[in-house]
Amino acid sequence: MKKDIQIPEVEDVYIAIVNEYNNIYKTQDWNAYIINDKAIDIEMVLIVTSGYSEDKITSTFRKKLDLLPKKSYAKIELMQEKLFELNNTFKVSFFEGNKMFDKTYLFRKNTINLKALQPLPLMGVKGVLVK
């Protein structure tokens, strides 16, 4: 029965948007990262991203990571600044041990900007974080 299904709460896994210098193209880029601040590796990480507003919707982007080691992070995608005018969702599913976890992270429109930067766990840089 539905009442018997237990969905564990996701803790210590975050999505961050970081403004960083691109040495190859000599530009300031915004990149999305997933951060695993857990003391355990997570496996089969599936990330589905999209953006939307009342009258616009982006295409869906999917990324898979076989393994995201404990206390580490990985780049998900480059984000164009035009996307920040939209609500951006990151749906993340992963296995920790034999349990599946799932969480949707939401960056509301116009919340990704230079004024919203804060220190990020593990990365040693500033960015916009959703827990």
Side-chain angles (χ1 to χ4, degrees), residues 79-101:
M79 295 191 68
Q80 298 176 351
E81 288 188 42
K82 203 76 168 142
L83 292 172
F84 303 158
E85 299 170 4
L86 307 174
N87 295 305
N88 289 279
T89 60
F90 291 76
K91 296 177 183 182
V92 178
S93 300
F94 61 89
F95 283 93
E96 180 182 323
N98 288 330
K99 285 190 178 180
M100 183 175 183
F101 290 77

PDB file of all heavy atoms in Angstrom, residues 79-101:
ATOM      1  N   MET A  79      25.397  27.194 -17.837  1.00  0.00           N
ATOM      2  CA  MET A  79      24.085  27.840 -17.863  1.00  0.00           C
ATOM      3  C   MET A  79      24.197  29.227 -18.489  1.00  0.00           C
ATOM      4  O   MET A  79      25.038  30.022 -18.073  1.00  0.00           O
ATOM      5  CB  MET A  79      23.503  27.946 -16.458  1.00  0.00           C
ATOM      6  CG  MET A  79      23.219  26.587 -15.848  1.00  0.00           C
ATOM      7  SD  MET A  79      22.257  26.687 -14.343  1.00  0.00           S
ATOM      8  CE  MET A  79      20.681  27.244 -14.952  1.00  0.00           C
ATOM      9  N   GLN A  80      23.353  29.501 -19.447  1.00  0.00           N
ATOM     10  CA  GLN A  80      23.307  30.827 -20.054  1.00  0.00           C
ATOM     11  C   GLN A  80      22.532  31.765 -19.139  1.00  0.00           C
ATOM     12  O   GLN A  80      21.524  31.370 -18.537  1.00  0.00           O
ATOM     13  CB  GLN A  80      22.642  30.754 -21.423  1.00  0.00           C
ATOM     14  CG  GLN A  80      23.394  29.891 -22.407  1.00  0.00           C
ATOM     15  CD  GLN A  80      22.665  29.754 -23.727  1.00  0.00           C
ATOM     16  OE1 GLN A  80      21.518  30.156 -23.871  1.00  0.00           O
ATOM     17  NE2 GLN A  80      23.342  29.167 -24.702  1.00  0.00           N
ATOM     18  N   GLU A  81      22.969  33.009 -19.063  1.00  0.00           N
ATOM     19  CA  GLU A  81      22.337  33.972 -18.163  1.00  0.00           C
ATOM     20  C   GLU A  81      20.861  34.195 -18.473  1.00  0.00           C
ATOM     21  O   GLU A  81      20.081  34.523 -17.583  1.00  0.00           O
ATOM     22  CB  GLU A  81      23.091  35.300 -18.183  1.00  0.00           C
ATOM     23  CG  GLU A  81      24.427  35.205 -17.480  1.00  0.00           C
ATOM     24  CD  GLU A  81      25.111  36.546 -17.302  1.00  0.00           C
ATOM     25  OE1 GLU A  81      24.420  37.528 -16.949  1.00  0.00           O
ATOM     26  OE2 GLU A  81      26.320  36.602 -17.510  1.00  0.00           O
ATOM     27  N   LYS A  82      20.463  34.016 -19.698  1.00  0.00           N
ATOM     28  CA  LYS A  82      19.051  34.188 -20.085  1.00  0.00           C
ATOM     29  C   LYS A  82      18.157  33.216 -19.308  1.00  0.00           C
ATOM     30  O   LYS A  82      16.990  33.501 -19.052  1.00  0.00           O
ATOM     31  CB  LYS A  82      18.918  33.964 -21.592  1.00  0.00           C
ATOM     32  CG  LYS A  82      17.735  34.593 -22.194  1.00  0.00           C
ATOM     33  CD  LYS A  82      17.938  36.079 -22.341  1.00  0.00           C
ATOM     34  CE  LYS A  82      16.840  36.651 -23.226  1.00  0.00           C
ATOM     35  NZ  LYS A  82      16.380  37.946 -22.783  1.00  0.00           N
ATOM     36  N   LEU A  83      18.700  32.070 -18.892  1.00  0.00           N
ATOM     37  CA  LEU A  83      17.931  31.078 -18.139  1.00  0.00           C
ATOM     38  C   LEU A  83      17.550  31.573 -16.743  1.00  0.00           C
ATOM     39  O   LEU A  83      16.621  31.063 -16.134  1.00  0.00           O
ATOM     40  CB  LEU A  83      18.720  29.776 -18.009  1.00  0.00           C
ATOM     41  CG  LEU A  83      18.948  28.987 -19.283  1.00  0.00           C
ATOM     42  CD1 LEU A  83      19.895  27.833 -19.020  1.00  0.00           C
ATOM     43  CD2 LEU A  83      17.628  28.489 -19.839  1.00  0.00           C
ATOM     44  N   PHE A  84      18.284  32.553 -16.213  1.00  0.00           N
ATOM     45  CA  PHE A  84      18.033  33.011 -14.853  1.00  0.00           C
ATOM     46  C   PHE A  84      16.721  33.781 -14.736  1.00  0.00           C
ATOM     47  O   PHE A  84      16.228  34.016 -13.637  1.00  0.00           O
ATOM     48  CB  PHE A  84      19.199  33.865 -14.348  1.00  0.00           C
ATOM     49  CG  PHE A  84      20.522  33.146 -14.383  1.00  0.00           C
ATOM     50  CD1 PHE A  84      21.704  33.843 -14.416  1.00  0.00           C
ATOM     51  CD2 PHE A  84      20.589  31.755 -14.399  1.00  0.00           C
ATOM     52  CE1 PHE A  84      22.930  33.186 -14.445  1.00  0.00           C
ATOM     53  CE2 PHE A  84      21.798  31.080 -14.440  1.00  0.00           C
ATOM     54  CZ  PHE A  84      22.965  31.803 -14.466  1.00  0.00           C
ATOM     55  N   GLU A  85      16.137  34.155 -15.876  1.00  0.00           N
ATOM     56  CA  GLU A  85      14.818  34.805 -15.891  1.00  0.00           C
ATOM     57  C   GLU A  85      13.698  33.784 -15.702  1.00  0.00           C
ATOM     58  O   GLU A  85      12.542  34.147 -15.569  1.00  0.00           O
ATOM     59  CB  GLU A  85      14.616  35.544 -17.216  1.00  0.00           C
ATOM     60  CG  GLU A  85      15.626  36.641 -17.452  1.00  0.00           C
ATOM     61  CD  GLU A  85      15.559  37.209 -18.865  1.00  0.00           C
ATOM     62  OE1 GLU A  85      14.668  36.801 -19.644  1.00  0.00           O
ATOM     63  OE2 GLU A  85      16.414  38.054 -19.187  1.00  0.00           O
ATOM     64  N   LEU A  86      14.063  32.501 -15.698  1.00  0.00           N
ATOM     65  CA  LEU A  86      13.101  31.410 -15.557  1.00  0.00           C
ATOM     66  C   LEU A  86      13.299  30.711 -14.213  1.00  0.00           C
ATOM     67  O   LEU A  86      14.345  30.834 -13.587  1.00  0.00           O
ATOM     68  CB  LEU A  86      13.299  30.381 -16.678  1.00  0.00           C
ATOM     69  CG  LEU A  86      13.290  30.882 -18.110  1.00  0.00           C
ATOM     70  CD1 LEU A  86      13.649  29.753 -19.062  1.00  0.00           C
ATOM     71  CD2 LEU A  86      11.950  31.481 -18.463  1.00  0.00           C
ATOM     72  N   ASN A  87      12.307  29.943 -13.798  1.00  0.00           N
ATOM     73  CA  ASN A  87      12.478  29.015 -12.680  1.00  0.00           C
ATOM     74  C   ASN A  87      13.258  27.830 -13.229  1.00  0.00           C
ATOM     75  O   ASN A  87      12.910  27.287 -14.280  1.00  0.00           O
ATOM     76  CB  ASN A  87      11.114  28.537 -12.159  1.00  0.00           C
ATOM     77  CG  ASN A  87      10.314  29.665 -11.556  1.00  0.00           C
ATOM     78  OD1 ASN A  87      10.778  30.352 -10.659  1.00  0.00           O
ATOM     79  ND2 ASN A  87       9.106  29.870 -12.054  1.00  0.00           N
ATOM     80  N   ASN A  88      14.315  27.430 -12.545  1.00  0.00           N
ATOM     81  CA  ASN A  88      15.151  26.315 -13.005  1.00  0.00           C
ATOM     82  C   ASN A  88      15.078  25.167 -12.009  1.00  0.00           C
ATOM     83  O   ASN A  88      15.357  25.349 -10.829  1.00  0.00           O
ATOM     84  CB  ASN A  88      16.598  26.777 -13.163  1.00  0.00           C
ATOM     85  CG  ASN A  88      16.765  27.711 -14.340  1.00  0.00           C
ATOM     86  OD1 ASN A  88      16.867  27.259 -15.470  1.00  0.00           O
ATOM     87  ND2 ASN A  88      16.768  29.012 -14.087  1.00  0.00           N
ATOM     88  N   THR A  89      14.684  23.991 -12.489  1.00  0.00           N
ATOM     89  CA  THR A  89      14.578  22.821 -11.618  1.00  0.00           C
ATOM     90  C   THR A  89      15.678  21.819 -11.949  1.00  0.00           C
ATOM     91  O   THR A  89      16.057  21.650 -13.105  1.00  0.00           O
ATOM     92  CB  THR A  89      13.222  22.112 -11.757  1.00  0.00           C
ATOM     93  OG1 THR A  89      13.057  21.670 -13.099  1.00  0.00           O
ATOM     94  CG2 THR A  89      12.079  23.022 -11.357  1.00  0.00           C
ATOM     95  N   PHE A  90      16.158  21.182 -10.903  1.00  0.00           N
ATOM     96  CA  PHE A  90      17.135  20.098 -11.006  1.00  0.00           C
ATOM     97  C   PHE A  90      16.546  18.922 -10.239  1.00  0.00           C
ATOM     98  O   PHE A  90      16.477  18.958  -9.011  1.00  0.00           O
ATOM     99  CB  PHE A  90      18.477  20.506 -10.384  1.00  0.00           C
ATOM    100  CG  PHE A  90      19.200  21.564 -11.154  1.00  0.00           C
ATOM    101  CD1 PHE A  90      18.803  22.888 -11.097  1.00  0.00           C
ATOM    102  CD2 PHE A  90      20.289  21.230 -11.950  1.00  0.00           C
ATOM    103  CE1 PHE A  90      19.474  23.864 -11.811  1.00  0.00           C
ATOM    104  CE2 PHE A  90      20.970  22.204 -12.669  1.00  0.00           C
ATOM    105  CZ  PHE A  90      20.553  23.527 -12.594  1.00  0.00           C
ATOM    106  N   LYS A  91      16.084  17.907 -10.953  1.00  0.00           N
ATOM    107  CA  LYS A  91      15.541  16.708 -10.320  1.00  0.00           C
ATOM    108  C   LYS A  91      16.671  15.700 -10.210  1.00  0.00           C
ATOM    109  O   LYS A  91      17.237  15.279 -11.216  1.00  0.00           O
ATOM    110  CB  LYS A  91      14.385  16.155 -11.134  1.00  0.00           C
ATOM    111  CG  LYS A  91      13.216  17.121 -11.195  1.00  0.00           C
ATOM    112  CD  LYS A  91      12.092  16.619 -12.053  1.00  0.00           C
ATOM    113  CE  LYS A  91      11.011  17.683 -12.098  1.00  0.00           C
ATOM    114  NZ  LYS A  91       9.856  17.277 -12.860  1.00  0.00           N
ATOM    115  N   VAL A  92      16.998  15.330  -8.970  1.00  0.00           N
ATOM    116  CA  VAL A  92      18.150  14.473  -8.715  1.00  0.00           C
ATOM    117  C   VAL A  92      17.686  13.174  -8.066  1.00  0.00           C
ATOM    118  O   VAL A  92      16.967  13.193  -7.068  1.00  0.00           O
ATOM    119  CB  VAL A  92      19.166  15.184  -7.793  1.00  0.00           C
ATOM    120  CG1 VAL A  92      20.349  14.271  -7.486  1.00  0.00           C
ATOM    121  CG2 VAL A  92      19.644  16.484  -8.424  1.00  0.00           C
ATOM    122  N   SER A  93      18.099  12.049  -8.637  1.00  0.00           N
ATOM    123  CA  SER A  93      17.835  10.726  -8.068  1.00  0.00           C
ATOM    124  C   SER A  93      19.170  10.011  -7.948  1.00  0.00           C
ATOM    125  O   SER A  93      20.029  10.137  -8.826  1.00  0.00           O
ATOM    126  CB  SER A  93      16.909   9.908  -8.958  1.00  0.00           C
ATOM    127  OG  SER A  93      15.679  10.561  -9.132  1.00  0.00           O
ATOM    128  N   PHE A  94      19.341   9.253  -6.866  1.00  0.00           N
ATOM    129  CA  PHE A  94      20.592   8.510  -6.686  1.00  0.00           C
ATOM    130  C   PHE A  94      20.383   7.377  -5.694  1.00  0.00           C
ATOM    131  O   PHE A  94      19.376   7.326  -4.987  1.00  0.00           O
ATOM    132  CB  PHE A  94      21.719   9.431  -6.202  1.00  0.00           C
ATOM    133  CG  PHE A  94      21.469  10.091  -4.877  1.00  0.00           C
ATOM    134  CD1 PHE A  94      21.840   9.483  -3.683  1.00  0.00           C
ATOM    135  CD2 PHE A  94      20.872  11.335  -4.814  1.00  0.00           C
ATOM    136  CE1 PHE A  94      21.604  10.088  -2.460  1.00  0.00           C
ATOM    137  CE2 PHE A  94      20.634  11.965  -3.593  1.00  0.00           C
ATOM    138  CZ  PHE A  94      20.999  11.332  -2.417  1.00  0.00           C
ATOM    139  N   PHE A  95      21.352   6.467  -5.684  1.00  0.00           N
ATOM    140  CA  PHE A  95      21.361   5.373  -4.725  1.00  0.00           C
ATOM    141  C   PHE A  95      22.447   5.631  -3.686  1.00  0.00           C
ATOM    142  O   PHE A  95      23.564   6.003  -4.023  1.00  0.00           O
ATOM    143  CB  PHE A  95      21.631   4.028  -5.410  1.00  0.00           C
ATOM    144  CG  PHE A  95      20.445   3.477  -6.128  1.00  0.00           C
ATOM    145  CD1 PHE A  95      20.251   3.740  -7.467  1.00  0.00           C
ATOM    146  CD2 PHE A  95      19.512   2.702  -5.454  1.00  0.00           C
ATOM    147  CE1 PHE A  95      19.155   3.239  -8.138  1.00  0.00           C
ATOM    148  CE2 PHE A  95      18.408   2.195  -6.114  1.00  0.00           C
ATOM    149  CZ  PHE A  95      18.225   2.463  -7.456  1.00  0.00           C
ATOM    150  N   GLU A  96      22.074   5.427  -2.440  1.00  0.00           N
ATOM    151  CA  GLU A  96      23.020   5.432  -1.326  1.00  0.00           C
ATOM    152  C   GLU A  96      22.854   4.071  -0.670  1.00  0.00           C
ATOM    153  O   GLU A  96      21.825   3.788  -0.067  1.00  0.00           O
ATOM    154  CB  GLU A  96      22.687   6.558  -0.350  1.00  0.00           C
ATOM    155  CG  GLU A  96      23.619   6.644   0.826  1.00  0.00           C
ATOM    156  CD  GLU A  96      23.217   7.748   1.794  1.00  0.00           C
ATOM    157  OE1 GLU A  96      22.755   8.812   1.364  1.00  0.00           O
ATOM    158  OE2 GLU A  96      23.366   7.502   3.005  1.00  0.00           O
ATOM    159  N   GLY A  97      23.858   3.219  -0.842  1.00  0.00           N
ATOM    160  CA  GLY A  97      23.685   1.841  -0.414  1.00  0.00           C
ATOM    161  C   GLY A  97      22.630   1.205  -1.310  1.00  0.00           C
ATOM    162  O   GLY A  97      22.676   1.319  -2.524  1.00  0.00           O
ATOM    163  N   ASN A  98      21.633   0.576  -0.718  1.00  0.00           N
ATOM    164  CA  ASN A  98      20.562  -0.049  -1.489  1.00  0.00           C
ATOM    165  C   ASN A  98      19.291   0.777  -1.510  1.00  0.00           C
ATOM    166  O   ASN A  98      18.254   0.296  -1.952  1.00  0.00           O
ATOM    167  CB  ASN A  98      20.255  -1.439  -0.919  1.00  0.00           C
ATOM    168  CG  ASN A  98      21.359  -2.420  -1.225  1.00  0.00           C
ATOM    169  OD1 ASN A  98      22.032  -2.302  -2.247  1.00  0.00           O
ATOM    170  ND2 ASN A  98      21.571  -3.376  -0.340  1.00  0.00           N
ATOM    171  N   LYS A  99      19.354   2.016  -1.026  1.00  0.00           N
ATOM    172  CA  LYS A  99      18.173   2.875  -0.996  1.00  0.00           C
ATOM    173  C   LYS A  99      18.242   3.928  -2.088  1.00  0.00           C
ATOM    174  O   LYS A  99      19.293   4.506  -2.346  1.00  0.00           O
ATOM    175  CB  LYS A  99      18.049   3.587   0.348  1.00  0.00           C
ATOM    176  CG  LYS A  99      17.569   2.719   1.469  1.00  0.00           C
ATOM    177  CD  LYS A  99      17.260   3.562   2.684  1.00  0.00           C
ATOM    178  CE  LYS A  99      16.721   2.667   3.793  1.00  0.00           C
ATOM    179  NZ  LYS A  99      16.409   3.450   4.980  1.00  0.00           N
ATOM    180  N   MET A 100      17.090   4.169  -2.701  1.00  0.00           N
ATOM    181  CA  MET A 100      17.004   5.206  -3.717  1.00  0.00           C
ATOM    182  C   MET A 100      16.504   6.490  -3.066  1.00  0.00           C
ATOM    183  O   MET A 100      15.573   6.469  -2.263  1.00  0.00           O
ATOM    184  CB  MET A 100      16.060   4.804  -4.840  1.00  0.00           C
ATOM    185  CG  MET A 100      15.994   5.809  -5.943  1.00  0.00           C
ATOM    186  SD  MET A 100      14.984   5.183  -7.280  1.00  0.00           S
ATOM    187  CE  MET A 100      15.155   6.506  -8.429  1.00  0.00           C
ATOM    188  N   PHE A 101      17.138   7.603  -3.431  1.00  0.00           N
ATOM    189  CA  PHE A 101      16.756   8.920  -2.942  1.00  0.00           C
ATOM    190  C   PHE A 101      16.367   9.783  -4.128  1.00  0.00           C
ATOM    191  O   PHE A 101      16.866   9.603  -5.240  1.00  0.00           O
ATOM    192  CB  PHE A 101      17.933   9.577  -2.206  1.00  0.00           C
ATOM    193  CG  PHE A 101      18.273   8.930  -0.893  1.00  0.00           C
ATOM    194  CD1 PHE A 101      18.969   7.729  -0.851  1.00  0.00           C
ATOM    195  CD2 PHE A 101      17.900   9.511   0.299  1.00  0.00           C
ATOM    196  CE1 PHE A 101      19.298   7.129   0.352  1.00  0.00           C
ATOM    197  CE2 PHE A 101      18.209   8.925   1.513  1.00  0.00           C
ATOM    198  CZ  PHE A 101      18.914   7.734   1.538  1.00  0.00           C
TER     199      PHE A 101
END
